[in-house]
Amino acid sequence: MNLATSTGTPAAGSEWPVVKLQFGAADARILEDQRVYDGHFKMHRLTVQHRLFGGGWSEPLSREIFERGDAVGVLPWDPVSDDLIMLEQYRVGVRRDEDSPWMLELVAGVVEDGESDAEVARREAQEEAALSISELEPVARYYPSAGACTEQVRLFIGRTQRPEQGGVYGNADEGEDIRVHILPRAEVMDYLTSGFINNGHTLIALQWLALHGDELRGRWT
């Protein structure tokens, strides 16, 4: 078995582990690509094949794939006061939740054509929380639902200055109604361990901050 092939690109400052993925991009092929929905988001029906671990190729597989573009998330943090700025907003996809379809989240937005990740992070922080981001620390990049969606998410911790108070913000043209909370980092970590945080982007950023926050605070202060 050949473990010398890897896919993707490691995050800045990191290296791939010793074990590599067996197959790469050339080991999967698209036989047919049909766009079946073209609205605000897009849906494609693909016929694909890929190599098998036991040798040979799979039978042609039909898969629908959702395309919504890539996204950037930033967790705003004032390292001096050690406060996190977090957002509360309604999420229609959580209508199945018995408690509440409102979530406590970080700042996030879709990457528009020609935008850098830093530009998205700073634009969304201003629109959703009236915050200015002075520095960005990369956290992770990942595919939240790779079996059904092409979206890649890039996450950051964003250095900001704690506002005097929260408020309600958001882009009215996009139907946003966002309540801003200013919370001590220790309190938010309690939310993390209790299971109160139920948004994937926010979970990952907070878990990273739990591991690296003290070191990052030392650098930023």
Side-chain angles (χ1 to χ4, degrees):
M1 182 170 62
N2 177 18
L3 295 179
T5 302
S6 64
T7 60
T9 305
S14 68
E15 296 181 357
W16 287 115
V18 174
V19 176
K20 307 295 185 180
L21 303 179
Q22 180 171 342
F23 297 127
D27 297 306
R29 55 197 181 196
I30 297 174
L31 305 178
E32 185 178 2
D33 183 347
Q34 178 186 7
R35 182 172 291 181
V36 294
Y37 180 77
D38 191 357
H40 181 64
F41 300 123
K42 296 172 174 54
M43 180 79 73
H44 286 242
R45 180 176 295 118
L46 305 178
T47 303
V48 301
Q49 278 186 304
H50 61 80
R51 292 193 184 275
L52 301 172
F53 293 118
W57 289 82
S58 70
E59 293 297 320
L61 306 170
S62 179
R63 296 288 185 268
E64 287 77 33
I65 196 81
F66 178 56
E67 294 190 1
R68 56 158 293 159
D70 291 345
V72 166
V74 57
L75 180 63
W77 180 37
D78 184 335
V80 176
S81 68
D82 206 12
D83 290 315
L84 293 166
I85 292 81
M86 304 193 70
L87 313 182
E88 178 186 352
Q89 59 183 316
Y90 171 75
R91 292 304 194 188
V92 66
V94 197
R95 65 192 186 280
R96 61 184 287 179
D97 198 302
E98 295 180 356
D99 293 326
S100 174
W102 276 258
M103 286 184 156
L104 192 65
E105 304 177 328
L106 46 63
V107 170
V110 175
V111 181
E112 304 293 345
D113 289 343
E115 277 190 310
S116 68
D117 289 351
E119 288 170 337
V120 178
R122 291 186 167 96
R123 168 173 57 80
E124 292 295 331
Q126 185 62 46
E127 288 181 3
E128 296 187 344
L131 293 174
S132 296
I133 301 295
S134 59
E135 295 185 66
L136 290 166
E137 180 74 13
V139 167
R141 53 180 172 175
Y142 66 100
Y143 293 89
S145 186
C149 184
T150 61
E151 178 188 32
Q152 185 188 74
V153 178
R154 274 95 66 183
L155 294 180
F156 300 85
I157 305 296
R159 182 176 183 175
T160 191
Q161 184 173 352
R162 180 192 188 279
E164 290 295 322
Q165 61 184 11
V168 176
Y169 301 94
N171 189 336
D173 293 339
E174 298 177 4
E176 292 180 337
D177 181 56
I178 299 170
R179 183 183 177 197
V180 172
H181 295 268
I182 304 165
L183 301 167
R185 177 165 59 123
E187 180 178 331
V188 178
M189 291 306 165
D190 287 340
Y191 294 164
L192 175 66
T193 56
S194 71
F196 179 70
I197 303 295
N198 58 355
N199 171 273
H201 306 344
T202 310
L203 279 169
I204 292 171
L206 288 175
Q207 288 168 344
W208 187 96
L209 193 63
L211 293 172
H212 305 287
D214 290 341
E215 183 272 333
L216 180 59
R217 191 182 188 201
R219 284 196 278 121
W220 276 0
T221 57

